[in-house]
């Protein structure tokens, strides 16, 4: 028996919650009154293997019964195994484990400055980009509305229009430590850059000795049909940030850097008490096993195509794999989200005109049909 919980004792950083959940399975969440909701949000692109996947639950419970925390003063087997696993999908990069996406960005920015040294300390990022809410990540974020209330942000960041390689080339100079980009912008409303943009960014960085950081916190680990979204253009970053999907719902991220760059860090340069704890790492290993074992990269491609096709007649559809936005071109996104919620489907109003759909990669064809039908009904009404 559960009772409705008040959020009165919490800081008002979120709007009042329209519903509270008590359990979940696959692509379904169950509310306090037992109503089932089809989850097309997946905890904002986190629950990629579905809610409470039995293999993830088993890994967490087994590890929790064995060892929960040691700090990073000591090693654990799950942490070593996860670093090895992530090296395998990132062309041999070394991991720094963090507790969130924003913290992986902090690590990336600090590492880039330490590696480059001297006056080469500037960063070039993209307008509309989102990298998190801590001060370094917020400073990289190209959204003035999110920065302005907290000014001054960290100096040294220049923002250029996303997808415009000419503007990027013009902004990068001998004082630039690194370029930081999302391979597809998520919070900006699922903005896919023109083909060739990531390749151009790589070439600009190579020409100028600048590091290339890809923020794959949202795009990484299968969401777009690849382990890393940059693989779409076969581009390898110097530093890649992962989080969200990684822990199967537990908080863990990894800042991955090429060994020759990672070696710029010495003991004491950067640290975290909780990052890469054994329970989070065990959950991550199980999550990666499920993505691989259940063919979820392929599933993201096939299911994503069918979702995008289903939405096409309703408005502009953007995205790749199961990272999708439907833009109605009118400020109706919140009304669509409210209407869909009332019909038992969760969607995310990512801007005033667009809803974002990042469902679990295990979503079934029937569930996609239901989401498309519901979004269609609601968008015709608003
Ligand atoms: N980078 C990207 C691309 C994101 O989408 C997000 C979160 O939405 C972050 C960084 C920040 O991650 P976190 O909220 O875990 O700090």
């Amino acid at each position: 028996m559960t009772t409705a919980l008040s959020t009165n004792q919490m800081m008002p950083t979120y709007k009042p919650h329209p519903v509270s959940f008590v359990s979940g399975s696959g692509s379904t969440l169950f509310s306090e009154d037992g109503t089932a909701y089809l989850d097309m949000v997946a905890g904002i692109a986190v629950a990629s293997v579905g809610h409470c996947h039995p293999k993830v639950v088993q890994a967490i419970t087994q590890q929790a019964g064995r060892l929960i925390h040691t700090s990073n003063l000591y090693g654990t087997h799950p942490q070593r195994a996860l670093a090895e696993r992530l090296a395998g999908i990132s062309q041999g990069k070394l991991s720094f484990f963090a507790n969130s996406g924003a913290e992986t960005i902090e690590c990336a920015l600090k590492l880039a400055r330490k590696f480059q040294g001297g006056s080469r300390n500037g960063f070039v990022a993209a307008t509309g980009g989102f990298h998190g809410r801590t001060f370094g990540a917020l400073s990289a974020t190209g959204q003035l509305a999110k920065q302005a209330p907290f000014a001054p942000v960290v100096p040294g960041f220049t923002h250029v229009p996303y997808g415009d390689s000419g503007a990027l080339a013009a902004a990068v100079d001998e004082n630039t430590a690194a370029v930081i980009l999302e391979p597809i912008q998520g919070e900006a409303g699922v903005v896919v850059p023109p083909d060739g943009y990531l390749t151009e960014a790589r070439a600009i960085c190579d020409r100028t000795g600048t590091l290339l950081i890809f923020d794959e916190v949202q795009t990484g680990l299968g969401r777009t049909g690849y382990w890393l979204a940059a693989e779409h253009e076969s581009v390898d970053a110097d530093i890649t940030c992962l989080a969200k999907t990684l822990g199967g719902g537990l908080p863990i991220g990894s800042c991955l850097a090429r060994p020759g760059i990672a070696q710029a860090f010495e003991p004491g340069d950067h640290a975290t008490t909780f990052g890469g704890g054994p329970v989070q790492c065990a959950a991550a290993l199980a999550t990666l096993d499920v993505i691989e074992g259940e063919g979820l990269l392929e599933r993201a491609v096939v299911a994503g195509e069918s979702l995008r096709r289903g939405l096409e007649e309703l408005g502009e559809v953007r995205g790749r794999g199961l990272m999708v936005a439907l833009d109605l071109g009118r400020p109706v996104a919140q009304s669509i989200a409210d209407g869909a919620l009332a019909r038992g489907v969760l969607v995310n109003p990512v801007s005033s005109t667009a809803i974002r759909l990042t469902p679990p990669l295990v979503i079934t064809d029937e569930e996609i049909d239901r989401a498309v039908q519901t979004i269609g009904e609601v968008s015709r009404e608003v």
Side-chain angles (χ1 to χ4, degrees):
M1 166 76 181
T2 48
T3 48
L5 297 172
S6 151
T7 52
N8 291 347
Q9 308 312 122
M10 290 168 67
M11 289 197 194
T13 54
Y14 287 87
K15 291 181 197 156
H17 298 152
V19 57
S20 295
F21 294 111
V22 291
S23 62
S25 172
S27 303
T28 306
L29 283 169
F30 297 92
S31 65
E32 289 170 324
D33 65 2
T35 308
Y37 288 81
L38 173 57
D39 184 7
M40 299 299 286
V41 180
I44 318 184
V46 167
S48 295
V49 300
H51 293 283
C52 301
H53 192 291
K55 291 198 171 136
V56 177
V57 172
Q58 189 189 25
I60 292 171
T61 46
Q62 270 182 0
Q63 184 58 46
R66 217 177 270 145
L67 181 65
I68 297 176
H69 180 77
T70 61
S71 88
N72 283 302
L73 299 176
Y74 310 100
T76 69
H77 186 265
Q79 189 184 86
R80 278 196 300 277
L82 181 59
E84 198 175 306
R85 193 74 182 272
L86 292 175
I89 61 167
S90 66
Q91 305 201 24
K93 293 189 176 65
L94 307 188
S95 275
F96 175 87
F97 290 115
N99 305 288
S100 65
E103 284 178 60
T104 66
I105 303 296
E106 297 297 332
C107 177
L109 299 175
K110 286 177 69 177
L111 178 60
R113 278 199 175 159
K114 179 94 197 291
F115 175 80
Q116 298 284 25
S119 62
R120 188 152 200 159
N121 56 27
F123 294 104
V124 178
T127 310
F130 182 80
H131 302 288
R133 306 290 190 146
T134 54
F135 261 109
L138 182 66
S139 309
T141 291
Q143 302 183 28
L144 200 56
K146 292 196 168 70
Q147 288 186 352
F150 308 104
V153 293
V154 179
F157 288 81
T158 305
H159 291 91
V160 294
Y162 186 65
D164 179 344
S165 51
L168 186 63
V172 171
D173 61 23
E174 69 284 356
N175 294 320
T176 311
V179 165
I180 175 166
L181 296 170
E182 294 161 88
I184 295 174
Q185 288 188 329
E187 300 305 302
V190 187
V191 179
V192 182
D195 267 343
Y197 179 62
L198 305 181
T199 311
E200 276 294 316
R202 179 70 273 176
I204 292 164
C205 288
D206 287 344
R207 273 203 303 274
T208 55
T210 306
L211 296 184
L212 180 59
I213 303 170
F214 278 155
D215 177 349
E216 296 240 19
V217 164
Q218 189 162 154
T219 52
L221 302 176
R223 174 108 336 245
T224 72
Y226 299 88
W227 282 112
L228 302 175
E231 288 170 34
H232 178 73
E233 289 192 27
S234 305
V235 175
D236 185 34
D238 299 301
I239 303 178
T240 297
C241 294
L242 296 173
K244 288 194 182 276
T245 289
L246 183 58
L250 291 198
I252 180 168
S254 176
C255 173
L256 289 145
R258 289 189 177 165
I261 294 164
Q263 303 304 345
F265 271 161
E266 295 164 73
D269 275 342
H270 196 55
T272 166
T273 299
F274 291 116
V279 180
Q280 300 92 293
C281 288
L285 285 163
T287 301
L288 298 177
D289 279 348
V290 172
I291 293 172
E292 198 168 296
E294 297 188 10
L296 296 185
L297 304 188
E298 297 77 13
R299 180 67 195 147
V301 173
V302 173
E305 264 166 27
S306 126
L307 178 61
R308 289 199 301 279
R309 213 176 318 114
L311 296 171
E312 258 160 25
E313 55 162 323
L314 302 174
E316 183 198 341
V317 179
R318 298 188 289 263
R320 184 166 286 144
L322 279 171
M323 182 170 175
V324 174
L326 169 67
D327 200 320
L328 278 299
R330 301 176 285 137
V332 292
Q334 186 62 55
S335 306
I336 291 179
D338 294 343
L341 181 84
R343 289 167 166 83
V345 177
L346 306 178
V347 306
N348 171 242
V350 70
S351 72
S352 62
T353 61
I355 57 163
R356 172 176 45 176
L357 305 166
T358 52
L361 309 183
V362 294
I363 191 165
T364 64
D365 293 342
E366 295 70 33
E367 287 168 334
I368 288 188
D369 290 346
R370 179 168 164 228
V372 167
Q373 195 188 333
T374 304
I375 294 164
E377 279 167 24
V378 178
S379 58
R380 278 184 278 273
E381 275 170 24
V382 296

